[in-house]
Amino acid sequence: METSDKVIHAIYNDDDVLMAAVKTVKAKRFHIEEIYTPFPVHGLDKAMGLAPTRIAIAAFMYGCVGLTVATIMMNFIMIEDWPQNIGGKPSFSYLENMPAFVPIMFELTVFFAAHLMVITFYLRSRMWPFKKAENPDPRTTDDHFLMEIPVNHGNERELHDLLSKTGAVEINVVNNTH
């Protein structure tokens, strides 16, 4: 798709009205560039036609890394490097001590999955420290919803009329900053 020099910002003040508007705009085969919301709107990604996220696959892989690190770490520390007789438990093999190590394995699995998912999300979203905010309207962090649609080949009037019918409380044509 070619990039446009102008975009329309349609502002809504209700998430149900926004959801209906997205379905109407998609039915008319217009491309929605982005939607800014103050909170997650259930079903919005499906209504926009976005591909499903793969974060669950990444979480599983990160959890496996955490489990592996926990197993290797405990085997080295408690069995190979400095075996100790704690509470009469044998320290001859990892398998004999595994029931005592289960809480540590669980905690490191969750720790690695959670922290690496956050890092992955920030990198994938290109959100790093000191990055300038890309939010086109500060009201979308409070109580308004903004739908951004590129203007192509003189369809500005058609888009404006369509968005007015969908319940937009404000429609602005602005220069594209992407």
Side-chain angles (χ1 to χ4, degrees), residues 24-63:
T24 302
V25 169
K26 291 304 279 183
K28 295 287 186 181
R29 299 199 181 276
F30 286 110
H31 173 70
I32 299 173
E33 189 68 36
E34 187 65 74
I35 296 182
Y36 299 88
T37 64
F39 54 83
V41 178
H42 179 70
L44 187 59
D45 52 344
K46 185 177 178 184
M48 285 181 63
L50 299 177
T53 179
R54 296 182 300 262
I55 195 74
I57 297 167
F60 178 76
M61 291 189 307
Y62 296 152

Side-chain angles (χ1 to χ4, degrees), residues 12-118:
Y12 298 87
N13 57 10
D14 184 77
D15 57 330
D16 293 327
V17 175
L18 171 75
M19 184 66 79
V22 168
K23 291 175 182 174
T24 302
V25 169
K26 291 304 279 183
K28 295 287 186 181
R29 299 199 181 276
F30 286 110
H31 173 70
I32 299 173
E33 189 68 36
E34 187 65 74
I35 296 182
Y36 299 88
T37 64
F39 54 83
V41 178
H42 179 70
L44 187 59
D45 52 344
K46 185 177 178 184
M48 285 181 63
L50 299 177
T53 179
R54 296 182 300 262
I55 195 74
I57 297 167
F60 178 76
M61 291 189 307
Y62 296 152
C64 289
V65 168
L67 181 63
T68 302
V69 167
T71 303
I72 291 170
M73 178 189 75
M74 289 182 299
N75 184 55
F76 177 74
I77 292 171
M78 298 300 292
I79 306 302
E80 294 177 17
D81 185 41
W82 194 359
Q84 299 177 47
N85 187 347
I86 301 172
K89 293 184 173 141
S91 57
F92 305 118
S93 75
Y94 182 82
L95 289 177
E96 289 175 311
N97 288 296
M98 189 180 295
F101 295 155
V102 167
I104 299 167
M105 294 183 327
F106 172 77
E107 291 298 332
L108 280 180
T109 300
V110 172
F111 180 86
F112 271 70
H115 285 80
L116 291 175
M117 278 194 317
V118 168

